[in-house]
Amino acid sequence: MASSIVYGPVPSRRLGRSLGINNVPPKICSYSCIYCQLGKTLRMEVEPRPLYKAAKIAEQAKAKLKRAREKGERVDYVTFVPDGEPTLDANLGEEIGMLNGLGVRVAVITNGSLLWREDVRQNLLKADWLSLKVDAVNEETWRRINQPHTSLKLETILQGMLKFAQMFEGELTTETMLVRDVNDDLGEIKRIAEFLAVLKPARGYIAIPTRPPAEQVEPVKEQTINAAYQIFTERLSRVEYLIGYEGNAFACTGNAQEDLLSITAVHPMREDAVAEFLENARTDWGTVRELIDNGNLVELEYQGKKFYMRRLPGYSLP
Ligand code: SF4
């Protein structure tokens, strides 16, 4: 139904307040990821086609923006985050062009599987912010986690991403979803990080499934998430977790425990950084101990160093 194409604004950790655009009917995608929160893909497709009229989407977005502004609500982005893969909409470029005309930044969250196509690259070049999915760089792992359309080839997709990254002038980010016993092997994580080091995203996000997935997937160990964070950090300029907390990484509430939880929900903190934080907050390690004891914070080791990270949603005490 046309009335549900534009929704929000809703809060987004990565994009502030965002107006969502659902430009693909449920659920058409080129992948059927085992962790997809939209359930199994109903129609596997790889050929973009017109799905809605660009003018209709722009008109709805314009009305929603007007209403939000009248209510004094901030809108930082209009984001294509549909019930499927947004680049399967052949009108995407035209839609982004029209939204650019409304004076708002445009973001697209895509799996990147069609970036080897010239038309798809051209459509996405118009966006201001982009998230590409990079869950695997190994063919077998990729087939297991993303369950792609049979005509797709991983090497072609990765080359398409690299080509696009060289042309794109907006902010390019990546998202890597870690699934236990599928792509959480440190060797695969290193290979992903090496690919990302060539792609050079402005930020690399590490995610874990936090909502009910399409198939039964086991949560990765916190130890692994921390290791992945350290491996990515060695090769990328900025790395963050995306684990379902809407906390502000830079919040400074004056409450040391709340601040520690906000920071460690996005970045693990090394022991020396925590010590410095405690000193600045004029408190001691009792603050940290209490958070660990009540199950909000977890202490981990990586290469002989201690790290502290927020306990992930749905994780129980050891
Ligand atoms: S690419 Fe996105 S929409 Fe498609 S199956 Fe994967 S998680 Fe779901």
Side-chain angles (χ1 to χ4, degrees), residues 27 29 31-33 35-36 38 41 84 111 133:
K27 186 206 161 181
C29 194
Y31 283 176
S32 187
C33 303
Y35 56 75
C36 185
L38 303 169
T41 298
N111 64 22
K133 183 184 292 302

Side-chain angles (χ1 to χ4, degrees), residues 302-314:
Y302 179 72
Q303 295 192 334
K305 294 206 164 51
K306 270 190 196 156
F307 290 87
Y308 296 84
M309 76 181 253
R310 172 114 185 221
R311 187 170 291 279
L312 303 175

Side-chain angles (χ1 to χ4, degrees), residues 27-41 44 82-86 88 109-113 133 135 145-147 175 177 214:
K27 186 206 161 181
I28 307 175
C29 194
S30 49
Y31 283 176
S32 187
C33 303
I34 53 174
Y35 56 75
C36 185
Q37 63 191 43
L38 303 169
K40 280 196 201 307
T41 298
M44 295 287 284
D83 289 339
E85 169 49 35
L88 283 168
I109 297 182
T110 168
N111 64 22
S113 66
K133 183 184 292 302
D135 294 337
I145 193 164
N146 298 131
Q147 305 190 101
E175 188 176 326
M177 182 75 82

Side-chain angles (χ1 to χ4, degrees), residues 12-115:
S12 151
R13 241 255 344 259
R14 289 178 288 183
L15 299 168
R17 287 184 64 79
S18 150
L19 204 60
I21 312 254
N22 191 356
N23 65 323
V24 176
K27 186 206 161 181
I28 307 175
C29 194
S30 49
Y31 283 176
S32 187
C33 303
I34 53 174
Y35 56 75
C36 185
Q37 63 191 43
L38 303 169
K40 280 196 201 307
T41 298
L42 302 172
R43 293 173 68 164
M44 295 287 284
E45 293 190 16
V46 285
E47 196 60 42
R49 58 190 169 96
L51 294 168
Y52 296 105
K53 292 232 173 338
K56 185 89 190 158
I57 289 184
E59 199 180 288
Q60 283 193 24
K62 191 175 175 181
K64 285 259 183 190
L65 277 172
K66 187 166 173 267
R67 225 169 304 146
R69 282 172 184 153
E70 279 167 4
K71 284 202 269 173
E73 281 183 328
R74 207 183 75 226
V75 176
D76 303 298
Y77 278 91
V78 171
T79 308
F80 286 83
V81 52
D83 289 339
E85 169 49 35
T87 60
L88 283 168
D89 173 7
N91 294 337
L92 181 63
E94 196 187 343
E95 290 155 14
I96 296 174
M98 286 185 169
L99 295 171
N100 283 336
L102 300 179
V104 62
R105 287 167 66 79
V106 179
V108 183
I109 297 182
T110 168
N111 64 22
S113 66
L114 302 178
L115 271 176

Side-chain angles (χ1 to χ4, degrees), residues 98-154:
M98 286 185 169
L99 295 171
N100 283 336
L102 300 179
V104 62
R105 287 167 66 79
V106 179
V108 183
I109 297 182
T110 168
N111 64 22
S113 66
L114 302 178
L115 271 176
W116 48 273
R117 292 177 61 118
E118 174 69 21
D119 55 349
V120 169
R121 284 198 298 272
Q122 287 305 324
N123 281 347
L124 288 177
L125 279 177
K126 296 176 185 154
D128 297 294
W129 187 99
L130 208 70
S131 170
L132 298 183
K133 183 184 292 302
V134 186
D135 294 337
V137 293
N138 161 294
E139 183 89 21
E140 197 191 320
T141 311
W142 172 67
R143 291 205 178 278
R144 275 185 73 198
I145 193 164
N146 298 131
Q147 305 190 101
H149 187 280
T150 48
S151 69
L152 294 173
K153 303 258 176 309
L154 178 62

